Amino acid sequence: MARNARAQQMREYGRSVLEGARSEQVLRMARQVNAATYTSAREYAGRSLFELLQNGYDAHPKDRRDGRIHVLLDEAEGEWGTLYVANGGTPFTWRDVERVCELAQSSKEVGEGIGNKGVGFRSILLISNAPEIYSADPDSPLGPELDGYCFRFAQKDDVEEVLAGEDNAHKVAAKYPPLQAPLPLDEVPATCRQLAAQGYVTVVRLPLLGEAARAEVRLRMRELAGAKVPAMLFLDRLTSLTLERRSAGGETGELNDRHEAHERHELTRSAECFAVAQDSAGYGLPVTCATVDLGPSGTYLVAQGTVEKERLNSTLAEAVTSGLLDDT
């Protein structure tokens, strides 16, 4: 599908979602979704960057071991800075576009990745109210262009434009939930193009809300760079995680709050599996083992085991019956 056709697909879908606000019944539901969205976002306070990292990890197929994620905070771009999170996994499909616009929905099956519900993405609203997503062509992801689904989410002005002529257009727009309707973007920002040229296929771009949002992102990047339990230890689909911070001065420095610093940390991962010795009866431990080399972060022994399907299913069924989980 050509990029123009994808843009038209998103434009028609987004407008149909916004047109639904003309219905009083849909409007009541929209108000409930709006409240639930911000409640969910607050429950994930402090996890915005980790959720974006998780989504980038899950974009890589389960059998990948060469995945890459690049986190870039450019403090010189925009009033308060702009956060980019790029991954080299699988580009956005139309199903992904629909799911990211639906609260508590995800295109990922249980066990396919770290996350499942898609709720965590809403946490970005605590640091940015104008997120953008740029992705490569899902039918031809190897090209150096982000020419697939590139979109932003409808905001208050868009709702008012669609409802022009309605007496309550301004009131509806003020309560309409964010991240509900995708609208196509025609231009790809320069930094997104640079990341695409490095082989990344999807870039989430977040213009930050204010000083508090910028300080939050700085803090979480420092935590990722210096965590006592390295973030890369169990991210077995990745081979590298780049953490980069650019400031107005562009000078090189260590991870700190100096406004002139240009900081870059490369977290790497390589693993080598090995067999576990069996006893005289031919039994070994019910785990797989690997030596995981994280470069400067150290070398670790990681043992992994598989839970029997019947045991997992019975545990899930018990949790659903007791109300701890819902049916999904």
Side-chain angles (χ1 to χ4, degrees):
M1 183 186 296
R3 179 172 180 175
N4 289 342
R6 290 194 178 90
Q8 184 62 26
Q9 182 183 23
M10 283 189 289
R11 190 174 293 109
E12 292 176 356
Y13 176 80
R15 190 171 185 87
S16 69
V17 172
L18 296 177
E19 286 281 1
R22 297 183 186 278
S23 162
E24 185 60 33
Q25 181 179 7
V26 172
L27 185 55
R28 285 198 299 271
M29 294 177 61
R31 293 193 186 106
Q32 294 172 11
V33 171
N34 185 53
T37 292
Y38 283 101
T39 297
S40 298
R42 286 189 291 270
E43 289 176 350
Y44 280 74
R47 288 198 52 83
S48 301
L49 182 55
F50 299 110
E51 293 298 326
L52 291 168
L53 175 59
Q54 172 179 296
N55 289 341
Y57 172 83
D58 287 344
H60 296 80
K62 288 191 292 185
D63 58 353
R64 284 281 295 274
R65 295 295 179 266
D66 61 349
R68 296 186 302 143
I69 292 177
H70 192 131
V71 178
L72 166 62
L73 172 59
D74 189 342
E75 297 184 2
E77 181 179 334
E79 184 177 4
W80 298 106
T82 302
L83 176 66
Y84 295 85
V85 180
N87 75 73
T90 302
F92 260 62
T93 64
W94 177 244
R95 186 185 181 200
D96 294 324
V97 175
E98 291 181 306
R99 291 294 184 255
V100 81
C101 294
E102 298 175 4
L103 182 63
Q105 298 293 320
S106 171
S107 60
K108 294 173 286 190
E109 299 294 333
V110 174
E112 187 177 331
I114 303 172
N116 179 246
K117 288 297 183 185
V119 177
F121 184 73
R122 256 71 181 161
S123 66
I124 65 173
L125 294 171
L126 299 179
I127 61 173
S128 176
N129 60 4
E132 301 166 1
I133 295 175
Y134 300 87
S135 198
D137 184 346
D139 299 324
S140 182
L142 299 180
E145 302 293 332
L146 297 177
D147 52 358
Y149 289 106
C150 300
F151 59 100
R152 63 180 179 87
F153 298 88
Q155 298 188 315
K156 294 179 182 179
D157 291 347
D158 301 300
V159 180
E160 288 195 48
E161 180 181 343
V162 169
L163 300 181
E166 299 283 344
D167 294 336
N168 64 342
H170 183 72
K171 184 178 179 180
V172 170
K175 292 294 183 180
Y176 199 81
L179 310 184
Q180 288 295 111
L183 296 176
L185 290 166
D186 296 326
E187 299 294 328
V188 178
T191 298
C192 293
R193 294 198 302 271
Q194 292 168 6
L195 290 166
Q198 297 172 31
Y200 295 101
V201 301
T202 298
V203 182
V204 178
R205 179 178 183 269
L206 303 175
L208 298 179
L209 278 171
E211 176 56 38
R214 184 169 61 190
E216 165 70 14
V217 174
R218 284 180 189 165
L219 172 62
R220 303 309 169 188
M221 289 180 71
R222 285 199 297 270
E223 289 179 346
L224 281 171
K228 291 183 179 179
V229 179
M232 291 288 283
L233 186 55
F234 296 105
L235 299 180
D236 58 1
R237 302 180 193 178
L238 303 184
T239 189
S240 71
L241 167 60
T242 302
L243 302 171
E244 182 180 4
R245 177 180 155 219
R246 299 176 187 168
S247 296
E251 297 179 10
T252 301
E254 297 298 323
L255 271 175
N256 53 43
D257 288 328
R258 291 171 54 202
H259 290 281
E260 75 276 8
H262 178 193
E263 306 152 4
R264 184 183 179 100
H265 270 236
E266 296 282 354
L267 308 183
T268 60
R269 185 185 198 280
S270 63
E272 183 176 350
C273 296
F274 61 89
V276 179
Q278 297 181 336
D279 62 18
S280 58
Y283 293 101
L285 293 174
V287 295
T288 58
C289 293
T291 301
V292 179
D293 184 356
L294 302 183
S297 297
T299 302
Y300 295 79
L301 170 65
V302 175
Q304 294 177 296
T306 302
V307 178
E308 294 180 357
K309 182 177 180 180
E310 293 74 16
R311 180 183 172 192
L312 175 62
N313 285 342
S314 64
T315 303
L316 291 174
E318 182 179 343
V320 170
T321 301
S322 62
L324 298 176
L325 295 175
D326 61 35
D327 289 337
T328 55

